[in-house]
Amino acid sequence: MSGRNRPDPSFWRGKQVLLTGHTGFKGAWLAIWLHRLGARVTGIGLEPATQPSLFSLAQVAQLCSSQICDIRDPSALAARVRPAEPQIVLHLAAQPLVREGYARPVDTFATNVMGTAHLLEALRGMSGVRVALVITTDKVYRNLEQPYPYREDDALGGHDPYSASKAACEIVTASYRDAFLRAQGVTVATARAGNVIGGGDWSADRLLPDAVKAWASGTPLQIRRPDAIRPWQHVLEPLAGYLALAERAWSDPGVCGGWNFGPLTHEAATVKTVVELARGEWPGAQVHYGDGSEGPHEAGWLALEIAKARSALGFRPRWSLAEGVRRTMAWYLQQRDGAAARALCEAEIAAWEEAE
């Protein structure tokens, strides 16, 4: 990272980067940032899953070589990975939703476990690859519902199919690293981030997108589990962590393994706290809180320990929870009022880079 914990344009300029999941929320933000840094990006992903989508509104396809491909198809994936000749691989493509995992468990395992295996298999024998970073989730840990943040060496697990698929993805990645890719000179790491917020997310069953949809239509937001605690963070925070980790991995094979990226522990907050912060930014917003009994099982308390990333990478969150929520709601309100999505994202990235 360059000064003040910012991504280093001199590192990224001209780098051949393969970004899977570029059509998703986090992937679109990362594609915009990588383009801003001067990287040459090949994106591989499905058609956007939502309408509207940040990928479409921000015209992300103009910023990269955009390839539409299902990572569950190994031959189609390999046919797109190999011609891209990547030096750095950032694997974000996934089925990313807990409740969708309950509805479609086999598809979730196929995408998150076998899709990752297909990508890593495609990298075998590719001499130009130096770094492969697989993005998983804070939900890879066996959740004991105990009030302490999880560390990278805590046990993996997963009650629901989404969480279990991401824990399995960690094991698959470690196997490919140890059995094949380390000997090939590829530094392989995984990144586990908390709940992200930020403008441009229209996914189903996500807190602030649900709030925006409800409040934009003048209806109350329905909240199932107001007391659930999560490590919320603005989307640019973990993306900066991924970029920092990739930069370090380029020259330091010792950074292989798992890395947590989240807010400071005291910033983990309840759903109700986030909703009330958001409601304060949206005129006329109304909320109905449930009692926590609705829907399938979800973890009640989850937080990440980020000491490893802070000490080894210099990673530190820049925006508080309140600031992240404020910026998220402002993004949606400005976009609703006609502001261009890509310009909003680029302004947000510039503000993050300049923050102390």
Side-chain angles (χ1 to χ4, degrees), residues 30-323:
L30 188 50
I32 293 168
W33 205 347
L34 286 165
H35 180 265
R36 175 184 174 86
L37 291 167
R40 300 173 63 186
V41 180
T42 297
I44 293 178
L46 296 174
E47 294 286 355
T50 63
Q51 183 57 249
S53 73
L54 181 59
F55 175 80
S56 299
L57 288 177
Q59 299 177 306
V60 173
Q62 297 179 353
L63 307 181
C64 61
S65 172
S66 180
Q67 311 282 325
I68 301 301
C69 175
D70 191 331
I71 62 172
R72 294 175 296 182
D73 183 335
S75 58
L77 180 61
R80 288 162 175 80
V81 170
R82 294 197 171 114
E85 298 183 334
Q87 298 168 291
I88 297 173
V89 179
L90 304 172
H91 177 43
L92 276 68
Q95 191 298 95
L97 301 171
V98 171
R99 288 170 71 85
E100 178 72 5
Y102 276 110
R104 298 171 56 223
V106 174
D107 286 345
T108 297
F109 282 109
T111 298
N112 294 351
V113 184
M114 290 310 301
T116 299
H118 295 157
L119 174 66
L120 298 172
E121 179 67 17
L123 301 181
R124 288 180 63 190
M126 293 187 63
S127 59
V129 182
R130 288 273 294 271
V131 175
L133 178 56
V134 175
I135 309 307
T136 60
T137 175
D138 56 357
K139 297 171 184 65
V140 298
Y141 297 107
R142 189 173 68 207
N143 195 308
L144 304 175
E145 298 287 355
Q146 294 179 353
Y148 67 86
Y150 290 94
R151 299 175 181 270
E152 286 86 351
D153 58 359
D154 282 331
L156 301 177
H159 179 283
D160 64 274
Y162 167 74
S163 301
S165 73
K166 284 296 199 172
C169 173
E170 290 270 354
I171 295 171
V172 167
T173 302
S175 172
Y176 263 85
R177 177 194 69 221
D178 296 340
F180 308 113
L181 296 177
R182 193 200 307 269
Q184 192 176 304
V186 184
T187 300
V188 180
T190 60
R192 307 158 181 175
N195 293 49
V196 295
I197 59 175
D201 189 2
W202 282 277
S203 300
D205 296 318
R206 283 193 181 155
L207 183 58
L208 293 189
D210 284 352
V212 169
K213 291 172 199 170
W215 297 340
S217 65
T219 59
L221 173 64
Q222 306 292 328
I223 295 296
R224 297 187 305 272
R225 291 182 170 84
D227 297 326
I229 293 174
R230 295 288 185 273
W232 311 93
Q233 57 191 326
H234 191 277
V235 63
L236 293 181
E237 306 284 7
L239 296 186
Y242 305 163
L243 295 172
L245 181 54
E247 288 182 27
R248 176 66 66 83
W250 183 264
S251 57
D252 182 3
V255 303
C256 63
W259 294 79
N260 288 341
F261 295 101
L264 298 174
T265 301
H266 73 271
E267 284 270 284
T270 65
V271 168
K272 185 173 184 178
T273 297
V274 176
V275 169
E276 291 301 318
L277 288 169
R279 178 155 70 165
E281 303 294 332
W282 195 286
Q286 297 183 49
V287 185
H288 288 165
Y289 290 107
D291 62 6
S293 63
E294 304 165 62
H297 170 85
E298 295 182 47
W301 202 100
L302 182 58
L304 296 177
E305 174 58 69
I306 61 169
K308 179 180 175 182
R310 291 176 70 190
S311 61
L313 301 176
F315 171 80
R316 62 176 180 84
R318 296 205 168 186
W319 288 339
S320 67
L321 175 61
E323 179 72 0

